[in-house]
Amino acid sequence: QVQLVESGGGLVQAGSSLRLSCSVSGRSVRTLDTAWFRQTPGKEREFVAAIRRSGTGGRIYHADSVEGRFTISRENDKNALYLQMNSLIPEDTAVYYCAADSSLILSSIRFPNQYDYWGQGTQVTVSS
């Protein structure tokens, strides 16, 4: 069973940076399709970024809304996933979740209902 635990959220001012971490257990992170999503009250869970499993090339994808500001990465030795968030704006305020799945097709990676494993979420609040 894959388990995911996020950390690193907090309250920051606009323009600041934060790094979210997702500790993965139960399976090697490099064998999983992994992603970050975020959600605000009353809204659908929104895709932020994804890394494909190594067997499909490990390619990285970011949502247009965070392109150039956020960077997803993973560290195989630590079995962890990260989200480096720079130039934060108030609109980035949300609960951030890491997600994983054993095997997704490329067209599915931006849809939260395709992922089998989820962390508990970590709150990120950006003040203006």
Side-chain angles (χ1 to χ4, degrees), residues 6 20 35-49 65-66 70 83 85 90-99 112-113 118-126:
E6 302 99 333
L20 304 184
W36 289 96
F37 289 82
R38 65 187 181 185
Q39 190 170 25
T40 54
K43 292 191 176 182
E44 299 285 326
R45 200 162 287 190
E46 177 191 17
F47 171 78
V48 176
S65 59
V66 305
F70 291 11
L83 185 68
M85 305 187 295
E91 290 75 16
D92 294 321
T93 296
V95 177
Y96 283 72
Y97 298 90
C98 78
N113 62 358
W118 290 88
Q120 81 287 354
T122 185
Q123 176 72 46
V124 172
T125 303
V126 184

Side-chain angles (χ1 to χ4, degrees), residues 9-60:
L11 171 62
V12 297
Q13 290 189 329
S16 299
S17 298
L18 273 177
R19 187 194 195 205
L20 304 184
S21 299
C22 175
S23 177
V24 180
S25 60
R27 186 161 168 172
S28 172
V29 67
R30 64 189 300 273
T31 69
L32 296 165
D33 287 311
T34 53
W36 289 96
F37 289 82
R38 65 187 181 185
Q39 190 170 25
T40 54
K43 292 191 176 182
E44 299 285 326
R45 200 162 287 190
E46 177 191 17
F47 171 78
V48 176
I51 298 182
R52 301 298 311 281
R53 61 194 186 279
S54 294
T56 63
R59 190 167 177 179
I60 289 175

Side-chain angles (χ1 to χ4, degrees), residues 76-96:
N76 295 335
D77 289 349
K78 293 187 176 181
N79 218 38
L81 182 72
Y82 304 100
L83 185 68
Q84 177 66 43
M85 305 187 295
N86 299 328
S87 303
L88 284 160
I89 59 178
E91 290 75 16
D92 294 321
T93 296
V95 177
Y96 283 72

